[in-house]
Amino acid sequence: MSKPGIISKLQGSGPAKVVLHSAGKSTVRKSGHRGKGKRGARAVKLYKQGYSRGYDEGVRQGQSSFGLLFEGVSIIIPTYNQREYVLKCVSSIEKHTPAPYEIIVVDNGSKDGTAEAMLRKGGMVRVAALEVNRGFAGGVNQGLMMARGRHIVVLNNDTLVTPGWLDNMMACLDSDPEIGLVGPVTNYIGGDQQIDVPYSEVQDMWSFAARHNRPDPGKHRVTERLVGFCWLFSRELLERVGYLDEGYAVGNFEDDDWMIRVKLAGYKLAVAGDAFIHHFGSVSMKALDEPAFAAVNKGNEQFHSRKWGDPHALVAKTLQLAHHMELENSSAAPDSAHLGKANPRQQLSTKGSQDGVPKTRRSSDFYPEGCFVSDAKGDVYRLAGGLRRKLNIPVPRGISPVQVAKPDLLGIPAGDAVVSASEIRGWPLEVRHVHVSSIHDSGTGWTEGCILAAADAPEVRYQISEGRRRKFATVYAAERWGVHSGHVLSVSPEQLHAIQEGLPIIAPPQLLNEDL
């Protein structure tokens, strides 16, 4: 953590600037020296020198500690015009969370003095005061970027945490290496996290919560969905799954989107039934008038459907394919020659896993072969053979890199930089660059990276990668990677299905924050 005192800076550009404040005091007092003449001038000079040295030292310490983690929990609270709720929420955390933690309040351009109130509160609170409302996904992503803990909690501003809440959720997360995401139970929510409660007034809630939150592993259960009002997960999961998709306006469905990606990565979701927190209930969304709420909800639902199609079928198929690939990897001869030719994407991680525990995947395992991506700084990379190769040359004409988050890129092993345009193939690969003879083969000899579709289902597109056909999850997923009809080679259904299937290709999340 930064030392108390103000260390503020502007990040980003344009209307999306954000002022970051460390924990502690939010203002710098002006010099108390009001003397006149030489003595007063000397005092002012000494004050300015001391302030400058202190500021420089704060910057130095901030730079030296950047990226360092602490063995605790980062609690991220996105908020918009709900000052009194977030103040109560933070107070409940301070009172009922003995474990090491930091609180990151991301204020989405509130007009009610939320950021100023949080800065006055000080303590273990860090504040990101955004100039515009980036919605729930954008606010959470800002907090995720700032988080320093080994574990992370995403928490709604209209909640009150209770004694034992975090310990019991952590026990659930640690109980099974397959579990990646944990949520509590509450009084007001959708799905199976809502329980009956005997109180009607908040002041009566505390005694109920104290009785309910007695540790009981028998109340931990796997579930298919966790509402995003309170999540607990590890930094390792964040590094594998990545940020929330900011293509969802204001709020709703971005939590469902992220959970699909959590499950695609090989993790399970669980409810800590012995962890109860109070939820006032969607106060930010309720602040919208009914037509505005309906419009936001419908737009996000449509976007979710375009992006995922049938997510349940997609997840089930992916887990089945991953299991078959694990069996193939384990049965393959582990000779050095074989390992030397293996695509790192096909070598699913075994980190922290035991026999019988599914191996986990990264978001980049669902990116297409040969594509071009860029980070927020504008650096461009080509992804091929499970490696990222930075382009040290101008981006060739006709190639439009897709921006992805820096953590996603860092999770891909680095290869040699591209220093010559002759090393680059087009993306997506156009039909005229596909060897015509390959269409007469039976599952072998296909041009690496080519895009195929069966003649009777032209909208369902696949890419050939390492001898497998990898399905684009939806038309939207193909479009996000720049694939259109001019790239698609039409083949017979028999030819297509003769090719062994690999992991699907999904759309990367939209990131509107240039700093991610």
Side-chain angles (χ1 to χ4, degrees), residues 458-479:
E459 296 301 315
V460 182
R461 295 161 182 177
Y462 298 79
Q463 185 195 39
I464 298 299
S465 175
E466 294 290 313
R468 298 176 185 267
R469 57 181 170 95
R470 300 180 58 204
K471 180 182 177 181
F472 286 91
T474 57
V475 172
Y476 171 81
E479 291 174 346

Side-chain angles (χ1 to χ4, degrees), residues 9-182:
K9 66 176 181 177
L10 290 176
Q11 287 194 337
S13 59
K17 288 182 180 178
V18 51
V19 183
L20 306 181
H21 298 270
S22 69
K25 302 286 185 180
S26 63
T27 58
V28 178
R29 296 183 181 273
K30 294 183 178 180
S31 171
H33 298 284
R34 300 293 184 183
K36 296 181 179 180
K38 293 183 177 179
R39 183 176 179 181
R42 182 172 183 274
V44 172
K45 181 179 180 180
L46 289 174
Y47 170 80
K48 290 182 177 179
Q49 289 176 344
Y51 177 82
S52 179
R53 286 197 297 269
Y55 181 87
D56 291 342
E57 176 63 14
V59 171
R60 187 192 66 78
Q61 290 189 17
Q63 291 174 336
S64 63
S65 64
F66 181 79
L68 296 181
L69 305 180
F70 76 97
E71 298 301 327
V73 181
S74 296
I75 303 173
I76 299 168
I77 308 174
T79 187
Y80 175 67
N81 284 343
Q82 299 297 336
R83 179 182 61 189
E84 298 308 313
Y85 280 104
V86 75
L87 283 169
K88 292 176 182 178
C89 178
V90 168
S91 294
S92 72
I93 295 170
E94 293 173 334
K95 186 174 182 179
H96 301 298
T97 312
Y101 67 89
E102 64 172 355
I103 300 172
I104 302 172
V105 175
V106 182
D107 181 43
N108 263 321
S110 296
K111 307 302 181 184
D112 65 350
T114 296
E116 293 80 3
M118 296 313 305
L119 289 168
R120 286 194 297 270
K121 191 171 183 64
M124 300 302 290
V125 179
R126 298 164 63 202
V127 181
L130 309 186
E131 290 190 346
V132 295
N133 187 351
R134 292 180 180 156
F136 182 81
V140 170
N141 285 348
Q142 177 71 41
L144 292 173
M145 182 177 64
M146 295 169 61
R148 300 172 179 170
R150 291 285 182 187
H151 289 85
I152 298 168
V153 167
V154 174
L155 185 65
N156 271 20
N157 58 16
D158 60 339
T159 56
L160 297 174
V161 303
T162 57
W165 75 287
L166 185 56
D167 288 343
N168 292 356
M169 288 177 68
M170 192 70 74
C172 180
L173 183 66
D174 292 340
S175 67
D176 186 341
E178 293 188 47
I179 295 174
L181 188 64
V182 171

Side-chain angles (χ1 to χ4, degrees), residues 378-426:
D379 290 335
V380 177
Y381 300 81
R382 181 172 187 260
L383 306 186
L387 302 175
R388 57 180 166 93
R389 300 185 62 196
K390 183 179 178 182
L391 268 64
N392 284 349
I393 58 173
V395 179
R397 182 181 301 177
I399 291 176
S400 299
V402 177
Q403 182 181 344
V404 299
K406 194 68 172 180
D408 291 348
L409 280 174
L410 294 178
I412 307 171
D416 295 335
V418 176
V419 296
S420 171
S422 62
E423 301 179 63
I424 296 179
R425 299 176 64 186

